[in-house]
Amino acid sequence: GENVEQHPSTLSVQEGDSAVIKCTYSDSASNYFPWYKQELGKGPQLIIDIRSNVGEKKDQRIAVTLNKTAKHFSLHITETQPEDSAVYFCAAVSGSARQLTFGSGTQLTVLP
Amino acid sequence: SAVISQKPSRDICQRGTSLTIQCQVDSQVTMMFWYRQQPGQSLTLIATANQGSEATYESGFVIDKFPISRPNLTFSTLTVSNMSPEDSSIYLCSHHRGDTEAFFGQGTRLTVV
C-alpha cells in the first residue's frame, strides 16, 4: 500500500518568513495530493491540493509543487502570519483504493 | 461541500463502557469514512461506510470493537466498544466530494479513564 513520509515534524518561523513542508510517497499510481490544516480542537481542513497532471498550483500565499519522477510534493507558505500556526498534513490518494494516506504531520509555529 | 456535524465533541468515559459517535451530513453522500487520530499522531482510517451494506474495515480494526451504522445517505455512527485507556483518541468522520476531496467533521475527543 501507499506510504507517505512528511518532514519536518516541527517548524518554527518568524512572522513574514516562508515555510516549506515536504512529503514523499511510495505508490507511483497515486494521482491526487491534498494538504490539510488542523487547528487545535478542530478537524482537518483542506487548504490546497494538486493532481498528478500538474506540477505547481498556487492560491494566494499558499503553493504546492509536485515532482512525479521523484515522488515528492511540497507545501510552500509565504509571508507567514501567526494564524498560520497549526498542524499541517499531506496526503496521497492512490488510483485503485481511492483512500487517503496521511503523512505524520508538521506542527508549524509562526512567531510574532 | 456538504457540512458535517459530529457529536459529541468530547467525552470522558469509564473503561469497559461503550460510546457512540454520531455524524450528520447536510446532503446525501455515497461514502463516509471514520478515522482515528491518536494524541499527537496522524489520521488512520478505521473503516469506510456505505449506505445499505456492511462497513469495510482496515487492517487492525474489527467490527466487534468499532461497529458502524449507515442507515441512510446523510448519517452514520461509530461505536467504540468495551473501551480501554488505549482507545483515548480523536475520532473523525469524513466524506469525499467527487472521488478524492475529503472534508472532515470537527472530531470527537475521547478520554477513557
Side-chain angles (χ1 to χ4, degrees), chain B residues 8 10-20 80 83-85 88 110-113:
Chain B
R10 59 177 62 232
D11 207 343
I12 301 173
C13 300
Q14 295 292 323
R15 67 179 68 198
T17 63
S18 298
L19 175 71
T20 295
V80 186
M83 289 183 285
S84 66
S88 297
L110 170 63
T111 302
V112 183
V113 297

Side-chain angles (χ1 to χ4, degrees), chain A residues 31-32 34 36 38 40-46 49 51 87 89-90 93 97-105, chain B residues 10 33 35 37 40-45 48 56 58 90 92 96-97 99-107 109:
Chain A
N31 56 11
Y32 175 69
Y36 290 86
Q38 187 175 28
L40 198 61
K42 297 184 179 180
Q45 179 185 8
L46 178 68
D49 55 14
R51 298 184 185 273
V87 179
F89 292 97
C90 62
V93 174
R98 310 313 300 166
Q99 292 176 351
L100 284 166
T101 300
F102 284 86
S104 53
Chain B
R10 59 177 62 232
F33 304 84
Y35 289 84
Q37 186 177 24
Q41 302 295 314
S42 188
L43 286 77
T44 301
L45 182 64
T48 303
T56 302
E58 298 301 304
I90 299 172
L92 296 140
H96 285 191
R97 181 172 65 190
D99 63 349
T100 52
E101 299 175 53
F103 297 90
F104 290 84
Q106 71 270 32
R109 183 179 294 272

